Amino acid sequence: MSMHQRRLDMKNGCVDLSHGAGGRAMAQLIAGLFHEAFGNEWLARGNDQSAFDVAAGRMVMTTDGYVVSPLFFPGGNIGSLAVHGTVNDIAMAGARPLYLSASFIIEEGFAFSDLKRIADAMGEAAREAGIAIITGDTKVVERGKADGVFISTAGVGVLPDGLDLSADKARPGDRVLLSGSLGDHGVAIMSRRQNLTFDTEIISDSASLHGLVADMVAAGGAGIRLMRDPTRGGVAATMNEIAQQSNLGFRLQEEAIPVKPAVAAACELLGLDPLHVANEGKLVAVVAPELAGAVLAAMRAHPLGRDAADIGEAVADDHRFVQMATSFGGGRIVDWLSGEQLPRIC
Amino acid sequence: MKYADEFRDKELATGLARAIRAKADPARAYRFMEFCGGHTHAIARYGLEDMLPDNVRMIHGPGCPVCVLPAGRIDMATALAERAEVILCVYGDLMRVPGSRGSSLLKAKARGADVRMVYSTLDAIALAEQNPGREVVFFAIGFETTTPPTAVMIRAAEKKQLSNFTVFCNHVLTPPAMRAILDSDDTVEIDGFVGPAHVSTVIGTEPYAPFARDDGKPVVIAGFEPLDMMQAILMLIEQVNDGRHEVENQYRRAVTASGNQRAIREVAEIFELRDQFEWRGLGSIPASALKLRPAFAHLDAELRFAMSELVVADNPACECPAILRGLKKPVDCRLFGTACTPETPIGSCMVSSEGACAAHWTYGRFRDHQRRLAS
């Protein structure tokens, strides 16, 4: 930080409109908070953009917005979520993420201490993922015009040679692999949003999945037809998306789908279906049957995939139904959610 | 999961399915109405239809409080929520219920009405305390199950002497609706009822005795877990085969004959019967709903805000009334899955996930395709 800039009062201070006005206050905020949290050579140069080397071959790019409420939840906050979510969008192509941008829209009155917690979590998540947040933007809006802080990101990554994951590559007989238990993130968020207390604290599964993906690609290569992270709308929405895009149906086995007892109990209490609840550290992969065993083994050998399961198969179906054999012995459809999942009356 | 997984055991289910097939006389049809939407949901979600023989048919009854709330009452609530001074508190699944012309509380909220989703009646009380300058109205809805919590809330509001708190009462009663279905000229023949679980934890099994005794209809009160349902269906088949018509209690772990007397007393002290109440899909049913007694008139939103009753005609193309009476199935309605889906519900049966059409659309519509293929 240069001599003419004063330190931010991290303990008691808050963001005001001057921190988005382009003047000294904004420079103080960016240097004293974001640069410190993200700390890397690209940001340190202080330009409005960052130059980086481009690898030969194919790149992937993604963009995303984060408006989660509450901002802080068991297992993470909006900052770590923004990094994990963007990294995962890149990773689902089978790519290795490299760089992120981060744009902040901050509500006037937002405490520096909270902003620092968010930025620190972003920095830490980025370092853990081996990537850098190399450019960004800061805007401040009047009180009431944002819910604390919104973050939008962009990310770029590089794709290994020969990999081109896409839903139209799925074929009847392909296996559906899921990397772990469902609903942890959504229930963790809900438990804070509604002040619900459960006997067991449910922690968000928010995590960067590119390491797991790299192991899967090593084991399955082009036998992996496609991957998706089942975020909003849960596995139900993801499987229906894949069905639409691949022109296939899917048959899932409810018994094979891992759900933690605490999450199942919370969903039961609230009348929610874990298949519709959001995840932030899980992936679904559709894999050629002959390679499914090897990919599943690679997933289970990785810490983020130790509960991975083979949950069903792709089938020829003009109606593109996602059907599920219930653990009770009957059959049902797994449908898109209608609007937001709302708790039942009784 | 303790206390839930035990009631979803596949082996036990297979055994029950086998027993049902063995007991069901192939020479006759068994038509049972599950009154409660929770049962309809369980049948669809666990695919119970696949485990029953073809001659055992479940008819989905009107027992979903969200589904049977008429559009006029939603319009009344919407008009209330649009008043600047009002905060309207509702349970979550009410938000999407369509009023007239496709309106809903969710859309009213988007336009600026202060509609808050609450998880308990006491959340509404807390909101009233936190907002002394606003009028907090609780949109009370539900069968006998949710009436006692509303009663508790009204007592709490009295005790705290809240002057900015009122209740828009829409509580309805199960037995009059069952009576209306049985007395209707055009209801399909019903061989027995699966009685509501949660409702019966409050009112007990006795209120269903007239249906067994006077109408000759077996009633089995059943829990919402899939094994509960399967066992109740078996018990009904046995009653029919034996020529018996009794009220039996499958849900003995929670339901007694006389119910929860304290809750019944509390409800009776605070509420009284309305002369008539409109049910979506079923029309006006006498003595089928509750309102606040005169002693609690100061907490009655309909009086405080001089709300006038709005009656809105249902879409004439909608087959919900016939579906609720077992005369038609969801696929028999030309709106089903076209104009009327869970995203754009038109009729009562599509409104909440517990309605017959919504349950079939969400969980079971692949069977229509299978039937078409088979035929």
Side-chain angles (χ1 to χ4, degrees):
Chain A
M1 192 180 292
S2 55
M3 293 298 287
H4 66 278
Q5 289 174 344
R6 285 188 304 151
R7 287 210 158 267
L8 298 168
D9 179 359
M10 288 294 178
K11 197 169 167 198
N12 301 307
C14 69
V15 174
D16 60 47
L17 289 174
S18 71
H19 291 105
R24 182 169 294 155
M26 188 164 127
Q28 283 172 339
L29 179 72
I30 292 169
L33 202 145
F34 292 122
H35 283 197
E36 214 155 274
F38 302 161
N40 58 58
E41 61 194 275
W42 295 273
L43 277 181
R45 297 179 72 181
N47 295 321
D48 275 344
Q49 71 293 115
S50 284
F52 54 87
D53 293 334
V54 182
R58 301 180 71 205
M59 301 197 72
V60 297
M61 180 177 175
T62 186
T63 182
D64 215 338
Y66 297 86
V67 294
V68 64
S69 174
L71 298 171
F72 300 91
F73 49 82
N77 64 44
I78 188 172
S80 53
L81 186 69
V83 171
H84 294 150
T86 314
V87 163
N88 291 346
D89 281 350
I90 295 167
M92 290 311 109
R96 182 165 61 89
L98 295 173
Y99 302 108
L100 258 54
S101 74
S103 170
F104 293 81
I105 295 173
I106 309 166
E107 188 178 8
E108 177 188 23
F110 195 69
F112 285 143
S113 55
D114 284 342
L115 193 59
K116 181 168 163 45
R117 277 174 73 193
I118 290 167
D120 285 347
M122 286 187 83
E124 192 184 333
R127 282 187 290 278
E128 276 178 6
I131 57 164
I133 302 167
I134 61 170
T135 186
D137 184 48
T138 306
K139 296 281 188 299
V140 179
V141 295
E142 288 172 6
R143 191 182 280 272
K145 290 194 171 173
D147 193 6
V149 62
F150 299 146
I151 303 175
S152 49
T153 57
V156 292
V158 289
L159 205 56
D161 283 344
L163 209 58
D164 182 19
L165 308 190
S166 177
D168 59 11
K169 298 213 151 96
R171 297 285 174 270
D174 284 352
R175 304 305 305 177
V176 180
L177 308 181
L178 171 66
S179 68
S181 64
L182 291 189
D184 302 20
H185 176 73
V187 171
I189 290 275
M190 233 174 292
S191 69
R192 285 302 148 100
R193 195 183 289 165
Q194 311 300 348
N195 288 323
L196 299 169
T197 47
F198 302 113
D199 284 348
T200 320
E201 184 166 55
I202 296 164
I203 307 285
S204 167
D205 57 3
S206 182
S208 291
L209 295 171
H210 58 298
L212 173 67
V213 167
D215 289 358
M216 291 170 68
V217 168
I224 300 174
R225 317 283 202 202
L226 72 130
M227 285 187 273
R228 288 283 159 81
D229 53 341
T231 54
R232 278 175 308 163
V235 162
T238 296
M239 292 312 301
N240 277 284
E241 273 172 26
I242 297 172
Q244 293 299 319
Q245 291 157 1
S246 64
N247 267 321
L248 294 171
F250 286 90
R251 292 222 174 103
L252 308 181
Q253 300 292 326
E254 188 175 29
E255 273 174 318
I257 299 175
V259 180
K260 291 192 176 115
V263 171
C267 287
E268 194 65 31
L269 181 73
L270 295 168
L272 309 176
D273 187 337
L275 287 165
H276 287 137
V277 178
N279 314 277
E280 287 292 348
K282 298 290 159 28
L283 65 82
V284 167
V286 177
V287 182
E290 64 276 12
L291 285 162
V295 175
L296 188 61
M299 292 168 86
R300 287 178 173 162
H302 191 281
L304 292 175
R306 60 175 176 266
D307 296 325
D310 180 331
I311 63 167
E313 65 174 343
V315 293
D317 179 0
D318 294 342
H319 287 75
R320 295 172 281 189
F321 285 134
V322 180
Q323 295 183 45
M324 185 165 78
T326 72
S327 50
F328 195 70
R332 60 170 264 205
I333 283 186
V334 175
D335 203 4
W336 304 85
L337 188 60
S338 304
E340 195 179 352
Q341 193 164 220
L342 301 172
R344 287 200 309 266
I345 285 179
C346 64
Chain B
M1 187 182 8
K2 211 175 170 195
Y3 306 123
D5 289 347
E6 295 88 331
F7 302 101
R8 297 171 192 175
D9 184 283
K10 191 176 186 175
E11 297 309 311
L12 286 175
T14 309
L16 275 170
R18 206 178 301 122
I20 286 171
R21 274 195 296 277
K23 289 271 171 73
D25 177 358
R28 61 157 302 159
Y30 299 83
R31 293 149 300 187
F32 302 130
M33 173 176 276
E34 84 278 2
F35 178 86
C36 191
H39 289 141
T40 305
H41 190 81
I43 289 169
R45 181 172 173 183
Y46 295 97
L48 301 195
E49 201 178 312
D50 295 339
M51 307 178 75
L52 300 176
D54 289 343
N55 62 332
V56 177
R57 184 187 153 203
M58 301 307 292
I59 300 164
H60 311 309
C64 160
V66 170
C67 302
V68 295
L69 190 73
R73 301 293 288 185
I74 291 290
D75 285 357
M76 290 166 72
T78 305
L80 193 61
E82 284 170 346
R83 295 172 70 126
E85 74 273 28
V86 167
I87 299 173
L88 184 71
C89 301
V90 302
Y91 289 136
D93 49 2
L94 257 179
M95 299 286 278
R96 272 200 303 265
V97 180
S100 62
R101 298 183 301 281
S103 66
S104 69
L105 289 170
L106 199 63
K107 288 179 181 164
K109 184 175 189 301
R111 287 194 304 267
D114 197 346
V115 183
R116 312 273 183 102
M117 200 169 81
V118 292
Y119 280 72
S120 93
T121 54
L122 297 178
D123 291 347
I125 292 282
L127 267 174
E129 288 180 299
Q130 290 155 11
N131 294 275
R134 306 281 301 279
E135 286 284 344
V136 173
V137 183
F138 179 74
F139 192 148
I141 180 179
F143 286 94
E144 290 88 340
T145 324
T146 54
T147 315
T150 305
V152 167
M153 178 182 65
I154 286 169
R155 288 283 187 214
E158 284 272 279
K159 196 172 169 189
K160 291 172 186 283
Q161 298 185 316
L162 289 175
S163 59
N164 65 331
F165 182 81
T166 47
V167 175
F168 177 43
C169 184
N170 294 273
H171 285 298
V172 288
L173 303 172
T174 312
M178 283 173 74
R179 169 60 51 211
I181 288 167
L182 280 177
D183 289 352
S184 169
D185 293 335
D186 60 355
T187 299
V188 76
E189 187 62 32
I190 293 171
D191 299 302
F193 286 98
V194 178
H198 292 163
V199 164
S200 303
T201 60
V202 177
I203 65 173
T205 63
E206 280 166 7
Y208 303 101
F211 304 114
R213 188 182 59 233
D214 306 335
D215 298 270
K217 303 294 179 193
V219 179
V220 175
I221 310 295
F224 290 119
E225 293 301 328
L227 276 184
D228 292 326
M229 286 295 300
M230 295 289 282
Q231 191 180 23
I233 292 165
L234 179 61
M235 289 165 76
L236 282 169
I237 290 171
E238 286 171 341
Q239 282 208 44
V240 170
N241 288 352
D242 298 347
R244 289 182 292 123
H245 37 89
E246 300 161 9
V247 178
E248 291 184 310
N249 183 8
Q250 181 278 336
Y251 199 39
R252 276 174 297 190
R253 63 185 186 274
V255 167
T256 61
S258 55
N260 182 334
Q261 286 298 318
R262 189 174 156 206
I264 291 170
R265 267 197 313 277
E266 191 71 2
V267 167
E269 280 176 23
I270 291 174
F271 299 98
E272 63 182 16
L273 284 174
R274 290 178 191 264
D275 294 336
Q276 293 282 334
F277 193 76
E278 182 78 16
W279 291 56
R280 197 186 276 231
L282 290 178
S284 188
I285 303 177
S288 65
L290 300 174
K291 63 180 178 182
L292 272 66
R293 286 189 178 279
F296 299 93
H298 56 291
L299 291 170
D300 190 335
E302 288 181 71
L303 299 175
R304 167 90 58 102
F305 299 98
M307 296 167 75
S308 46
E309 196 72 38
L310 292 173
V311 179
V312 180
D314 286 330
N315 188 319
C318 169
E319 299 282 10
C320 281
I323 293 166
L324 288 174
R325 290 181 166 89
L327 293 169
K328 291 191 172 172
K329 293 181 177 176
V331 285
D332 298 329
C333 177
R334 62 190 167 90
L335 300 181
F336 178 78
T338 53
C340 187
T341 68
E343 280 76 23
T344 56
I346 290 173
S348 61
C349 302
M350 193 63 94
V351 169
S352 97
S353 62
E354 300 188 350
C357 293
H360 184 66
W361 175 260
T362 306
Y363 295 115
R365 67 183 187 276
F366 69 99
R367 289 194 192 87
D368 303 330
H369 175 58
Q370 286 174 343
R371 282 188 198 109
R372 274 195 300 274
L373 284 180
S375 64

